[in-house]
Amino acid sequence: MSDLKQLTMLQMVVVFISSMIGIGIILMPRDLANTVNSQDLWMSIIFGAVAVSVVSCLYVALAVRYPGLTFYEMSTRILGKFMGFTFNFFFTVYTLIVAAYILRVTGGIIKNYLLDTTPLSVVIGTFILVSMYLIYNGAGDIVRFFQLYFPIMMVMFLVLCLLSIKNFDINHVRPVLQNNIWSTISGVKITFFSFLGMELLLIFAKLIKKKKAKHLLMTMWTSIGLTALIYVVFHIISIGVLGVEELKEITFPTIEMAKSIEFQGFFFERFELIFIFGWLTTAFTSFTAYMYALTLGLKNMFTPSRWFLPVAGALIFTLTLIPEGLTEVFHYSPQIQLISVAAIVVLPGLLLIVSLIRGNTYAA
């Protein structure tokens, strides 16, 4: 049974980082290279982290004013039953779309590099079932799982970075600031969405008590900063190993970077498997966080039922199988980004504005 009553600051950092690092570390290098077209594209991640840090103030302000309440409970308390239901419905749809997007990309990578003859439905079905098993007992088990596997993920990423240094060419990352600074800043429209997961503070807020809320902003900024550091390191290494021109052409540059690692006479040759296995854990944690948010949304909008977890799984499974290939999946990215902006910026912003106008708060 899940008996976790509140999150410690360390657990919050682990949950936020585990939710943010997902498919972004795989897809962002190519998108960023095509957008910025410069060796210092990694600086766009820093600008994106700053933008995300500003937006995170919305979530912290809401969590402080309504301690112990989730987004779904805050919206009905602030806006009333009807408008609150509307906001909750939109946010629930957002979590469904993001969960399906994460799973479809993850399934495509598993098919390409590990299980090429396994039907996609089996791959994503297994992912969903394992996630449902983890979610069944509530947020406590989810947090403990994240906390257990977080060090393993970090060790695998560190190993890949160290092994890649052999192929690193410093000339690939120079010069810095060759392009106009506005070109680098334009990459924020890519990097911002690689920090998706920060908004789940409003989902796990149930486990954040009022006495912890005063440290919440620093906890959020620490999580965003560490995530940005991981992204920056991986991008600098990717540029140094592959170069900007190759990043533009390769669909999954980070995996190809791992494939380039070679040590003659070493008993293990496929080093990309080290990265893929580590990355799959991050993809799973990110997906599980959104599936949990989806399930919680369904329970809050309708009469609570034990059937909402399999309903959430069925919805994700159906939506994930709609695109015929990854090319079609990537075609939907601009629309998903627009929906994301509405869900993680506009909705919380409106809730905070209305709350401030009405002057209502909640004492846990």
Side-chain angles (χ1 to χ4, degrees):
M1 293 293 292
S2 176
D3 57 355
L4 186 65
K5 300 300 181 182
Q6 62 178 311
L7 292 175
T8 65
M9 290 185 65
L10 177 60
Q11 287 175 326
M12 283 189 274
V13 170
V14 169
V15 167
F16 296 145
I17 295 178
S18 299
S19 300
M20 285 188 281
I21 298 180
I23 59 176
I25 203 168
I26 295 287
L27 301 180
M28 186 164 49
R30 180 189 179 189
D31 294 338
L32 206 51
N34 282 293
T35 300
V36 179
N37 191 27
S38 175
Q39 295 90 335
D40 55 9
L41 56 85
W42 53 270
M43 294 185 65
S44 297
I45 299 173
I46 298 176
F47 290 123
V50 173
V52 168
S53 298
V54 173
V55 174
S56 68
C57 295
L58 293 174
Y59 314 139
V60 173
L62 286 170
V64 170
R65 292 177 68 84
Y66 302 93
L69 297 185
T70 65
F71 173 89
Y72 305 111
E73 294 164 330
M74 293 177 194
S75 59
T76 53
R77 180 172 293 272
I78 296 171
L79 300 174
K81 188 174 182 180
F82 176 74
M83 285 302 299
F85 181 91
T86 304
F87 271 49
N88 290 345
F89 179 80
F90 188 89
F91 195 86
T92 301
V93 171
Y94 158 74
T95 60
L96 169 62
I97 292 172
V98 174
Y101 184 76
I102 293 172
L103 185 56
R104 184 62 182 85
V105 173
T106 303
I109 292 174
I110 292 174
K111 288 271 298 172
N112 286 341
Y113 291 95
L114 296 175
L115 307 172
D116 57 326
T117 59
T118 304
L120 179 63
S121 58
V122 174
V123 173
I124 65 174
T126 303
F127 231 75
I128 291 173
L129 288 175
V130 176
S131 184
M132 288 172 58
Y133 178 77
L134 180 59
I135 294 172
Y136 182 76
N137 283 328
D141 287 355
I142 298 173
V143 172
R144 293 188 186 94
F145 178 86
F146 286 10
Q147 198 172 7
L148 175 64
Y149 281 91
F150 184 77
I152 299 175
M153 293 187 296
M154 294 301 103
V155 168
M156 288 187 176
F157 287 164
L158 178 61
V159 168
L160 177 62
C161 291
L162 293 176
L163 292 176
S164 299
I165 292 177
K166 176 185 176 182
N167 300 323
F168 188 87
D169 185 352
I170 190 65
N171 293 317
H172 286 168
V173 298
R174 297 186 300 185
V176 177
L177 293 178
Q178 180 184 22
N179 284 359
N180 187 293
I181 187 64
W182 294 111
S183 176
T184 304
I185 294 177
S186 68
V188 171
K189 63 186 180 183
I190 302 296
T191 60
F192 181 88
F193 297 101
S194 292
F195 290 93
L196 287 183
M198 57 175 178
E199 73 281 5
L200 295 181
L201 163 66
L202 298 177
I203 299 300
F204 288 94
K206 198 79 172 177
L207 299 176
I208 301 174
K209 301 304 179 184
K210 190 171 185 177
K211 63 180 181 179
K212 295 283 186 180
K214 60 183 179 180
H215 304 295
L216 198 51
L217 185 60
M218 186 56 64
T219 303
M220 285 293 292
W221 286 354
T222 300
S223 305
I224 293 169
L226 291 175
T227 302
L229 177 62
I230 294 170
Y231 281 150
V232 167
V233 170
F234 263 88
H235 278 69
I236 291 177
I237 294 177
S238 297
I239 298 167
V241 173
L242 300 174
V244 175
E245 295 304 318
E246 280 198 61
L247 287 182
K248 294 179 183 178
E249 303 299 329
I250 302 174
T251 305
F252 306 118
T254 315
I255 298 178
E256 295 303 319
M257 178 186 71
K259 288 181 69 174
S260 68
I261 299 173
E262 292 183 359
F263 287 93
Q264 292 185 352
F266 197 64
F267 72 96
F268 188 75
E269 295 182 353
R270 297 192 63 187
F271 287 96
E272 74 273 14
L273 294 181
I274 296 177
F275 172 74
I276 291 176
F277 290 143
W279 171 78
L280 279 177
T281 307
T282 69
F284 177 77
T285 54
S286 183
F287 168 75
T288 298
Y290 279 99
M291 186 174 180
Y292 172 69
L294 170 61
T295 305
L296 200 63
L298 293 174
K299 288 182 178 179
N300 275 271
M301 286 192 299
F302 306 102
T303 303
S305 170
R306 62 181 180 177
W307 294 106
F308 281 129
L309 182 56
V311 167
L315 289 173
I316 294 173
F317 183 84
T318 303
L319 188 59
T320 303
L321 289 179
I322 290 177
E324 295 183 358
L326 287 178
T327 302
E328 185 176 348
V329 174
F330 297 149
H331 177 72
Y332 292 121
S333 292
Q335 290 85 350
I336 295 175
Q337 290 177 354
L338 289 175
I339 294 172
S340 298
V341 169
I344 70 177
V345 179
V346 178
L347 294 189
L350 289 175
L351 287 181
L352 182 59
I353 291 172
V354 174
S355 175
L356 291 172
I357 292 174
R358 292 186 173 181
N360 57 352
T361 57
Y362 173 76

